[in-house]
Amino acid sequence: MLRGVLGKTFRLVGYTIQYGCIAHCAFEYVGGVVMCSGPSMEPTIQNSDIVFAENLSRHFYGIQRGDIVIAKSPSDPKSNICKRVIGLEGDKILTSSPSDFFKSHNYVPTGHVWLEGDNLQNSTDSRYYGPIPYGLIRGRIFFKIWPLSDFGFLRDSPNGHRFSDD
Amino acid sequence: MAQSQGWVRRYAKAFCKGFFVAVPVAVTFLDRVACVARVEGASMQPSLNPGGSQSSDVVLLNHWKVRNFEVQRGDIVSLVSPKNPEQKIIKRVIALEGDIVKTMGHKNRYVKVPRGHIWVEGDHHGHSFDSNSFGPVSLGLLHAHATHILWPPERWQKLESVLPPERLPVQREEE
């Protein structure tokens, strides 16, 4: 009787470990479903939207300007942020606001990216904490699953062209 | 004839079953629990690679200890290089968030480590590409905690978390 229960428990633990490892490999190397919260990416992504993120671009260093990425927050490694890539290393970024008379520029250092939310009025991003290292990027969001009224690939940035290429 | 075909079928089935169990488990173990790595370069002499290019130390990297991003001053850690995401660098943690560090060769003389960041330095000052060059690093780049030297056998040892006395932070963040 006891041996039967022990046998079943071991089998259950074995299956849990096995499926847990498969899940880890899938999330780490392929992609997964993510729920976003916060207003900083409106109107492209609203609060409580469910999106699909892929991690292949990160591993092959294929993140490009205009991609929406999930990254670890630079000031809190346990939480994630979801923003759009405005500049890659070497790009010139306009850091002054459009109302300023004198424009100021900054160059994105090597190994870093400049992130901004689509909702510029309500987004804490690289304009606040500076460029973040590429190593903090976890994945790229490319498809929205929920709400169904907005199902499909994600739109381009509504903020026009803030990218100034060199 | 039929018997040998049946044998091949059963073998292929068992192989696939084993493959899909063994590979994810091994990959997860190496990503989440521990792995080994060879140390290159002279930035951590004399603690690591004292022989220079003759012999490279192989260290045990413990991911499990840093799963909640908890490190102590003096730990030797590996992290993703902030200047080149394809490379991992291995350095010693000198200061945690809130500490004020007296820098050696940084553009500012004193730096307060921001929240969620750490200050790392190689033991071989002057030959090390560390926080004195690129400033405090975000804890999100932390990869693993190097706990032991595994190879060469005459250098088997546990790596101690000691902070060199001249590198103590000027002011510690009080808990």
Side-chain angles (χ1 to χ4, degrees):
Chain A
M1 168 70 176
L2 185 64
R3 282 181 75 183
V5 169
L6 234 73
K8 280 208 175 63
T9 318
F10 275 128
R11 230 189 322 240
L12 183 66
V13 169
Y15 277 130
T16 313
I17 294 179
Q18 184 185 332
Y19 287 119
C21 293
I22 293 180
H24 164 85
C25 288
F27 280 120
E28 183 74 23
Y29 295 105
V30 181
V33 180
V34 179
M35 185 169 106
C36 298
S37 58
S40 62
M41 281 299 292
E42 285 173 5
T44 317
I45 301 179
Q46 318 272 357
N47 195 15
S48 307
D49 278 358
I50 301 184
V51 294
F52 202 80
E54 55 94 358
N55 296 336
L56 298 165
S57 305
R58 160 172 77 105
H59 284 291
F60 293 115
Y61 304 102
I63 301 281
Q64 309 194 327
R65 286 180 211 93
D67 284 348
I68 303 179
V69 295
I70 299 184
K72 284 201 193 138
S73 165
S75 51
D76 179 15
K78 298 190 188 176
S79 62
N80 294 324
I81 58 175
C82 168
K83 304 275 179 261
R84 200 182 285 270
V85 174
I86 302 295
L88 301 173
E89 65 187 16
D91 288 352
K92 193 160 69 157
I93 301 288
L94 187 73
T95 51
S96 57
S97 62
S99 56
D100 284 354
F101 186 73
F102 290 107
K103 307 259 175 244
S104 67
H105 290 105
N106 258 328
Y107 285 94
V108 180
T110 29
H112 288 64
V113 293
W114 186 273
L115 302 180
E116 283 179 12
D118 283 351
N119 188 357
L120 288 172
Q121 275 90 351
N122 201 356
S123 166
T124 316
D125 47 38
S126 285
R127 293 170 298 160
Y128 174 72
Y129 44 67
I132 70 161
Y134 188 100
L136 289 178
I137 295 181
R138 315 286 350 132
R140 181 178 76 101
I141 297 181
F142 67 105
F143 200 83
K144 197 193 287 201
I145 304 177
W146 188 267
L148 292 171
S149 54
D150 218 358
F151 190 89
F153 290 101
L154 293 170
R155 292 178 286 259
D156 280 344
S157 171
N159 296 324
H161 283 278
R162 290 181 47 85
F163 321 134
S164 42
D165 300 337
D166 257 23
Chain B
M1 186 63 175
Q3 203 174 30
S4 68
Q5 263 185 344
W7 172 85
V8 168
R9 260 265 199 83
R10 273 185 287 125
Y11 180 79
K13 241 181 165 173
F15 180 82
C16 282
K17 244 174 110 175
F19 184 81
F20 283 109
V21 170
V23 168
V25 171
V27 168
T28 307
F29 184 86
L30 293 175
D31 276 351
R32 290 277 169 131
V33 182
C35 61
V36 290
R38 178 179 287 274
V39 178
E40 313 218 329
S43 65
M44 283 297 291
Q45 284 178 351
S47 316
L48 297 177
N49 276 10
S53 43
Q54 277 105 347
S55 69
S56 291
D57 288 349
V58 174
V59 292
L60 177 69
L61 295 176
N62 189 337
H63 296 284
W64 190 251
K65 270 192 164 178
V66 297
R67 68 190 184 283
N68 288 325
F69 303 103
E70 281 164 13
V71 286
Q72 302 302 322
R73 296 178 192 87
D75 285 351
I76 300 184
V77 295
S78 71
L79 40 132
V80 177
S81 168
K83 287 298 182 187
N84 180 2
E86 300 182 25
Q87 204 183 49
K88 303 241 179 353
I89 57 178
I90 184 161
K91 300 281 177 272
R92 196 181 289 272
V93 176
I94 299 294
L96 304 176
E97 66 185 21
D99 294 348
I100 298 184
V101 199
K102 182 156 190 259
T103 67
M104 300 169 54
H106 192 63
K107 55 181 159 85
N108 300 330
R109 200 72 195 290
Y110 291 94
V111 169
K112 179 163 181 170
V113 180
R115 196 164 62 97
H117 288 64
I118 51 174
W119 186 271
V120 296
E121 282 179 9
D123 286 349
H124 195 179
H125 300 299
H127 285 79
S128 169
F129 180 61
D130 53 27
S131 282
N132 288 314
S133 309
F134 46 70
V137 291
S138 175
L139 268 173
L141 294 176
L142 198 61
H143 178 243
H145 178 186
T147 48
H148 295 79
I149 299 183
L150 297 179
W151 189 269
E154 59 266 17
R155 284 188 42 82
W156 271 355
Q157 59 185 276
K158 183 167 172 10
L159 289 167
E160 298 298 334
S161 291
V162 297
L163 205 52
E166 67 272 11
R167 301 303 302 144
L168 282 173
V170 168
Q171 179 189 304
R172 285 178 171 226
E173 170 97 332
E174 298 308 323
E175 299 297 316

